[in-house]
Amino acid sequence: MTAHKNPPIKRFIWPVASIMLSLILGERAAVAKPVTVADLLANSPAQDWRFPEPADTLYLDMPGGRVIIELAPRIAPLHVANITMLARAHYFDGLAVLRVQDNYVVQWADPAHQRPVPDGIHLVAAEFTADRSVGRQFEPLAERDVYATQVGFLDGFPAARDPRSGMVWLAHCYGMVGVGRDDPPESDGTEMYAVIGHAPRQLDRNVTLVGRVLKGIELLSSLPRGSGEMGFYLPSEPLAPIVSVRIAADLPTSERTPIEVLRTDSATFHSVLEQRRNRREAWFKFNPGHIDLCNVPLPVRTPGSGR
Amino acid sequence: MTAHKNPPIKRFIWPVASIMLSLILGERAAVAKPVTVADLLANSPAQDWRFPEPADTLYLDMPGGRVIIELAPRIAPLHVANITMLARAHYFDGLAVLRVQDNYVVQWADPAHQRPVPDGIHLVAAEFTADRSVGRQFEPLAERDVYATQVGFLDGFPAARDPRSGMVWLAHCYGMVGVGRDDPPESDGTEMYAVIGHAPRQLDRNVTLVGRVLKGIELLSSLPRGSGEMGFYLPSEPLAPIVSVRIAADLPTSERTPIEVLRTDSATFHSVLEQRRNRREAWFKFNPGHIDLCNVPLPVRTPGSGR
């Protein structure tokens, strides 16, 4: 071996590198089979899961089944109060999905603008952001982000934070639910939408997000797209009817859908995050090494079913 | 006014700030109405648009209509050659969409794995990346990205680039089309998919992308979701049939669908990008200031229709 092929610097580095390499390879070899997200969830302790508050759980019942939405009362208290009152007044029952814009949103409201808004429901101030007292529980994600200085999770929702002011806001990821508004920033909650496409993060801090679909988003995302402007259904196109909207706490237990959500502050969640950031499955030839906020899984399961 | 309320630094800064403010406000006032993307496209010169090559345009005809896919022969030449041969052999006709996974992909192939693969079709090497000779035309986007050092556009497709090696690759944005594969990196093009959810960028450099849906993605994205593992349809669920897959150039002109695509190297495209990055519409209360690669519109229109 000539000095040219094996210069001193490499002679020195090789033993160190060799030890490190065997440690890395050894660790990999110790993983008998790739740890998948399903494995992690199956082996998770019970305390890593939480039951969403029935008082903050909205059931949007469609002919095809139930869409379960977790509301965010700490982040959008005024809007959540309005939506709760609207649900209690059965305001949404018999209304419809009137807009399905591909790669964007599904929106439900009163198509005819004829139903009287119940007493006590008024336009409320925009809740685009929440202050540092709410943001104290913000759990940062290590990753950078295109739209915000810092992203992470807040009360189980994908969120962003301004580290200087401590202000926090929810992020428009797939399945997030918000309230439609006109030009003024106020809204009353009578018009709601869910994101069914690539995260329209330009809407962050421009419209009030009130929660997230925990289950049943496919009942909305697979609806026929509207052919009108911005995906509104044309008069010739059938609307997708809403059977009812209820707060889970208002229903007898027998009519509730049991559901658990993985805690974002749990060890299991951090393992899931790490698994998705650094893929160990043989199928992956290139390790992404990073994860976009809106690609982080927020697993739910039916209690007792193991999934 | 006391020195405390108006310290020297502010006395100096105010006149400068005042001039800047009036310039900004003046500029804003000069915009009679917000410049929307629709305005920009309506006023665009003809040379800012291009006709996709009929030889590189794939028609996926479904019972509900036509999905138009632009292929990427410079970036994935081996796979595009295979897919072109398969289309010419009418291989896909009568096959089906067999997988619709919510917020992920729609996949079409031979559900029964019974159709013989035409002569001349073999597994070809992965085309996860292309080298710097292909990447020379890469048009960078100013924005940062979670997954890549640099993102932008290549041959009209959303793409990423490693500035050190000059290597480029297509990015898994909504509507991008790729070829399914098993554990080995090779594939033959007989199994294809389109992205119908938040960009699964972890797949970048892990699977060969071959093009993008220019029109008709809603025919795929609104299909019922499969109830099986990974969104595969269960035997009890009807598959979504494929009528035929053809190369546009192989059809008489009367059976082709005229389409134009906005050039990503055009002034109009850069205005569209800037409009989406900095929102001037009155509805926007907070200016996002940035745009994610996969949120950049890549407009298409029907020639002569003005949209």
Side-chain angles (χ1 to χ4, degrees):
Chain A
M1 215 180 288
T2 68
H4 178 70
K5 274 192 177 167
N6 196 3
I9 184 79
K10 287 197 182 164
R11 273 186 214 157
F12 172 74
I13 281 176
W14 178 243
V16 180
S18 170
I19 289 163
M20 289 177 68
L21 203 65
S22 67
L23 281 171
I24 293 164
L25 293 173
E27 191 209 15
R28 286 183 70 96
V31 179
K33 71 186 193 100
V35 179
T36 66
V37 167
D39 291 337
L40 291 168
L41 299 184
N43 295 323
S44 61
Q47 70 267 21
D48 283 2
W49 297 81
R50 64 184 173 87
F51 292 96
E53 278 296 326
D56 302 325
T57 303
L58 200 71
Y59 291 154
L60 169 62
D61 282 344
M62 306 282 293
R66 175 168 284 177
V67 182
I68 305 179
I69 297 166
E70 181 171 22
L71 298 170
R74 286 201 333 125
I75 301 156
L78 302 175
H79 284 85
V80 167
N82 263 21
I83 290 164
T84 301
M85 279 194 280
L86 288 166
R88 291 203 165 135
H90 298 189
Y91 172 79
F92 292 101
D93 300 15
L95 296 184
V97 170
L98 40 77
R99 177 189 185 190
V100 185
Q101 185 170 359
D102 195 68
N103 189 21
Y104 198 47
V105 296
V106 163
Q107 199 163 325
W108 58 98
D110 177 8
H113 296 285
Q114 284 182 335
R115 181 162 301 191
V117 175
D119 284 348
I121 301 290
H122 306 286
L123 286 171
V124 293
E127 294 171 306
F128 298 162
T129 58
D131 67 21
R132 62 163 68 243
S133 70
V134 173
R136 211 168 288 139
Q137 283 88 21
F138 184 83
E139 299 150 5
L141 185 71
E143 265 74 9
R144 62 190 168 195
D145 182 75
V146 175
Y147 292 91
T149 309
Q150 195 174 52
V151 289
F153 300 92
L154 182 61
D155 295 355
F157 301 100
R161 183 172 173 270
D162 175 358
R164 283 179 306 176
S165 67
M167 298 285 271
V168 285
W169 56 93
L170 298 182
H172 274 83
C173 295
Y174 193 94
M176 290 297 286
V177 174
V179 291
R181 66 165 175 86
D182 294 323
D183 263 12
E186 295 76 23
S187 38
D188 65 4
T190 55
E191 190 126 2
M192 298 180 70
Y193 67 91
V195 173
I196 58 153
H198 186 76
R201 299 280 309 282
Q202 72 278 7
L203 300 181
D204 290 3
R205 287 184 276 183
N206 275 307
V207 61
T208 300
L209 284 169
V210 296
R212 185 174 79 90
V213 174
L214 296 181
K215 199 173 181 181
I217 184 72
E218 70 283 358
L219 295 166
L220 300 173
S221 59
S222 65
L223 288 172
R225 276 48 182 157
S227 306
E229 283 288 319
M230 304 198 301
F232 281 93
Y233 285 127
L234 294 176
S236 59
E237 295 172 320
L239 301 172
I242 288 170
V243 176
S244 67
V245 173
R246 293 286 183 278
I247 296 292
D250 294 346
L251 296 182
T253 313
S254 63
E255 291 176 30
R256 297 185 199 167
T257 305
I259 193 164
E260 279 182 299
V261 182
L262 188 66
R263 292 181 182 276
T264 51
D265 60 356
S266 68
T268 301
F269 178 75
H270 286 99
S271 299
V272 166
L273 191 54
E274 194 51 30
Q275 195 280 345
R276 285 301 182 98
R277 187 183 271 141
N278 293 300
R279 305 299 295 240
R280 285 164 174 266
E281 302 98 320
W283 189 88
F284 278 84
K285 307 307 174 193
F286 175 85
N287 181 23
H290 303 282
I291 189 162
D292 182 87
L293 172 69
C294 294
N295 275 330
V296 176
L298 296 169
V300 301
R301 69 177 183 186
T302 302
S305 76
R307 49 174 306 194
Chain B
M1 215 180 285
T2 69
H4 178 70
K5 275 191 176 167
N6 197 2
I9 183 79
K10 287 199 181 163
R11 272 186 216 160
F12 170 75
I13 282 177
W14 179 244
V16 180
S18 171
I19 290 162
M20 288 178 68
L21 203 65
S22 67
L23 281 172
I24 292 163
L25 293 174
E27 190 211 15
R28 284 185 71 97
V31 179
K33 70 185 194 101
V35 178
T36 66
V37 167
D39 291 338
L40 292 167
L41 299 184
N43 296 322
S44 61
Q47 71 267 21
D48 283 4
W49 297 81
R50 64 183 173 88
F51 292 95
E53 278 295 327
D56 302 326
T57 303
L58 200 70
Y59 292 154
L60 169 63
D61 283 345
M62 306 282 293
R66 175 167 284 177
V67 182
I68 305 179
I69 297 165
E70 181 172 21
L71 297 170
R74 285 202 331 127
I75 302 157
L78 301 175
H79 284 84
V80 168
N82 262 20
I83 290 164
T84 302
M85 278 194 281
L86 288 166
R88 291 202 165 135
H90 299 188
Y91 172 78
F92 292 102
D93 299 16
L95 296 184
V97 170
L98 41 79
R99 176 189 186 191
V100 185
Q101 185 170 359
D102 196 67
N103 190 20
Y104 199 47
V105 296
V106 162
Q107 199 163 325
W108 58 96
D110 177 9
H113 297 283
Q114 283 181 335
R115 182 163 299 193
V117 175
D119 284 350
I121 301 291
H122 306 286
L123 286 170
V124 293
E127 293 170 306
F128 299 162
T129 57
D131 67 22
R132 60 163 70 242
S133 70
V134 173
R136 210 169 287 139
Q137 283 88 22
F138 183 84
E139 300 151 5
L141 186 70
E143 266 73 11
R144 61 189 169 196
D145 182 76
V146 175
Y147 293 90
T149 308
Q150 194 174 51
V151 289
F153 300 92
L154 184 60
D155 295 356
F157 300 101
R161 183 172 172 272
D162 176 358
R164 282 179 306 177
S165 66
M167 297 286 272
V168 286
W169 56 94
L170 297 183
H172 274 84
C173 295
Y174 194 93
M176 290 296 287
V177 174
V179 291
R181 65 164 176 86
D182 294 324
D183 263 12
E186 295 77 21
S187 37
D188 64 4
T190 56
E191 189 126 4
M192 297 181 71
Y193 68 90
V195 173
I196 59 153
H198 187 75
R201 298 281 308 281
Q202 71 278 6
L203 300 181
D204 292 2
R205 287 183 276 183
N206 275 307
V207 59
T208 299
L209 285 169
V210 296
R212 185 174 79 90
V213 173
L214 297 181
K215 200 174 180 179
I217 183 73
E218 70 283 358
L219 295 165
L220 301 173
S221 59
S222 65
L223 288 172
R225 277 47 183 158
S227 306
E229 283 290 317
M230 305 200 301
F232 280 94
Y233 285 127
L234 294 176
S236 59
E237 294 172 320
L239 302 171
I242 287 170
V243 176
S244 67
V245 173
R246 293 286 181 278
I247 296 292
D250 295 346
L251 296 183
T253 313
S254 62
E255 290 175 32
R256 297 186 198 167
T257 305
I259 193 164
E260 280 181 299
V261 182
L262 188 66
R263 291 180 183 276
T264 52
D265 60 356
S266 68
T268 301
F269 179 75
H270 285 99
S271 300
V272 165
L273 191 53
E274 194 50 30
Q275 196 281 345
R276 285 301 183 97
R277 187 184 271 142
N278 292 301
R279 305 300 293 240
R280 286 163 173 267
E281 301 98 320
W283 188 89
F284 278 83
K285 309 306 174 192
F286 176 85
N287 181 22
H290 304 281
I291 190 162
D292 181 88
L293 171 70
C294 294
N295 275 328
V296 175
L298 296 169
V300 300
R301 69 177 182 185
T302 302
S305 76
R307 52 173 304 195

